[in-house]
Amino acid sequence: MALLFLLSLILTPLVEISIFISVGEDIGAFPVLILILATAAIGVAIVRAQGVETIRRARAELGANRAPVMELMHGAMLALAGLLLLIPGFLTDFLGALLLIPPLRTWIAFRIFRHSRPGSAHVVIEGEFWEQSDTHKPEDGGPYGIDRLGDDLAGPDDRTR
């Protein structure tokens, strides 16, 4: 992964320079500069609008007592899109523009979730709990119900048996 990151740091500027030269030969240097500045300005405006909408959806999710996981992923990808659109270059502008497409961001988020926790979507952990007060008597064995070695997992109903 580190090698891939290093290669992208080295190859991206080289590709951008070759694209600048190629497009500059076709349309001229000044129009290339105008295009780069225009894509940055338009991209930042779109990122801002979509970011505000993402924040609104995240607040709605929090208001409904749900974790705004997808909204956070969309927000992170919008931040990356903004960064890519601000970096001068046609390749980075293209990649940043791709991240402005909500269905593509959702697809990427699901891919990230699937690869970050393989198989965890199907794991169910069941358990029981009981509440204990913080006050205790010395014969109870302590605040957590531990009265002797090996009996540390006994619940309140297990002690009477």
Side-chain angles (χ1 to χ4, degrees):
M1 189 67 171
L3 181 64
L4 181 65
F5 181 72
L6 182 64
L7 281 174
S8 68
L9 276 177
I10 294 169
L11 292 179
T12 301
L14 296 176
V15 171
E16 291 289 7
I17 290 170
S18 68
I19 294 173
F20 277 143
I21 292 171
S22 176
V23 173
E25 286 176 350
D26 291 340
I27 64 172
F30 187 71
V32 167
L33 292 174
I34 297 297
L35 276 174
I36 294 299
L37 293 175
T39 56
I42 293 169
V44 167
I46 294 171
V47 166
R48 185 175 182 181
Q50 287 189 6
V52 169
E53 177 62 22
T54 301
I55 290 171
R56 187 198 61 75
R57 283 195 322 266
R59 286 184 179 167
E61 288 291 310
L62 286 172
N65 286 331
R66 292 187 298 257
V69 177
M70 286 304 292
E71 287 73 17
L72 291 175
M73 289 297 293
H74 280 271
M77 285 187 265
L78 282 172
L80 179 61
L83 176 69
L84 289 171
L85 288 166
L86 285 175
I87 295 172
F90 292 111
L91 177 65
T92 55
D93 286 347
F94 176 72
L95 295 174
L98 285 178
L99 287 176
L100 294 177
I101 303 169
L104 183 61
R105 288 196 309 259
T106 302
W107 181 78
I108 292 170
F110 281 121
R111 299 273 304 186
I112 291 171
F113 289 145
R114 186 172 55 187
H115 290 294
S116 65
R117 297 180 296 149
S120 66
H122 304 291
V123 174
V124 176
I125 300 174
E126 294 186 24
E128 296 178 16
F129 74 97
W130 59 91
E131 293 183 21
Q132 285 185 301
S133 66
D134 289 338
T135 60
H136 66 282
K137 299 178 217 164
E139 62 269 10
D140 286 346
Y144 301 107
I146 302 171
D147 58 356
R148 67 180 187 276
L149 188 62
D151 196 23
D152 57 343
L153 297 178
D157 297 331
D158 296 336
R159 296 175 179 276
T160 58
R161 294 182 194 165

